[in-house]
Amino acid sequence: MDEEAPGEPGGVGDWVVESSRSLGVGGTTVGYDRLTRPDGERAGAGWVEHRASVAIVARHEGDVLFVEEYRPRLRETVLTCPVGSAEREESLAAAGRRELREETGYEAEHVEVLAEHYPVAWLRSTRGAVFADGLRRVGQDLDDSEFVDVHRVPVEEALDRALNGEGPRTAWTLLPLLLAREGDLL
């Protein structure tokens, strides 16, 4: 990791973490930091740390695979690219391959990580945008708590479906689709 050079007084590098509290539950840690800002004022910042995750753009015979499922935290049914968490020590590419197979029932011949980013500022975990193709049907392997329907959306409609969605679910799908299109993969 690159070490940051000290900033000018009152600059970006002058934040000081005065205290931090956290609680780990399962594979997730929730925390709150008390900070001193560059201007000397005190502030607080909450954060969540979880395993890395992936969002998969899977192309199959002129279509993109989407999953439809009820998201209890959102209290609504959403249509998105398949998403999921990486297992301990699992690469983003391996997580994308596994999540695609589990959620959609398709196995990919080719998997490529398009980008890795922080999806939201308060989340101390990265998300990988993964592209998969060369798919063959092998059957879903859902967890007992997962209820997922798979939809094949024509490539030319996929981006419109993400753009015209409502709420946070568009980010789960929009960025990976844009990256795949930019890479001439869709």
Side-chain angles (χ1 to χ4, degrees):
M1 188 162 120
D2 293 336
E3 205 170 301
E4 285 190 29
E8 294 295 318
V12 173
D14 292 330
W15 288 79
V16 176
V17 177
E18 300 294 342
S19 65
S20 184
R21 292 184 169 201
S22 63
L23 174 65
V25 179
T28 302
T29 301
V30 178
Y32 183 80
D33 294 342
R34 288 296 299 160
L35 308 157
T36 301
R37 301 181 335 191
D39 63 4
E41 294 292 319
R42 297 200 60 184
W47 49 269
V48 175
E49 187 170 45
H50 188 68
R51 296 183 310 265
S53 62
V54 292
I56 306 111
V57 176
R59 185 182 65 201
H60 182 61
E61 298 175 350
D63 294 328
V64 174
L65 300 183
F66 281 81
V67 294
E68 181 180 33
E69 62 186 319
Y70 182 75
R71 296 280 180 153
R73 289 181 184 103
L74 298 176
R75 295 183 178 162
E76 65 179 292
T77 299
V78 298
L79 185 67
T80 67
C81 288
V83 296
S85 296
E87 300 294 336
R88 190 173 282 241
E89 305 300 318
E90 186 177 39
S91 71
L92 293 175
R97 184 181 302 277
R98 179 185 49 75
E99 285 290 343
L100 177 67
R101 181 182 36 77
E102 289 175 1
E103 289 192 9
T104 69
Y106 285 86
E107 197 166 77
E109 180 180 316
H110 173 258
V111 173
E112 172 184 350
V113 177
L114 302 175
E116 185 175 358
H117 63 96
Y118 287 96
V120 291
W122 50 265
L123 185 61
R124 290 184 176 176
S125 307
T126 59
R127 168 159 292 158
V130 175
F131 178 76
D133 65 353
L135 306 184
R136 68 181 181 92
R137 185 91 173 115
V138 294
Q140 284 177 303
D141 185 19
L142 299 171
D143 293 336
D144 291 340
S145 63
E146 289 182 305
F147 303 92
V148 176
D149 289 329
V150 179
H151 296 266
R152 292 176 59 166
V153 176
V155 167
E156 53 278 353
E157 292 177 24
L159 193 54
D160 285 338
R161 295 286 287 270
L163 284 169
N164 294 319
E166 298 173 10
R169 67 183 175 267
T170 58
W172 301 337
T173 298
L174 185 56
L175 179 61
L177 286 170
L178 288 170
L179 288 166
R181 186 182 74 177
E182 184 66 23
D184 289 327
L185 299 168
L186 292 181

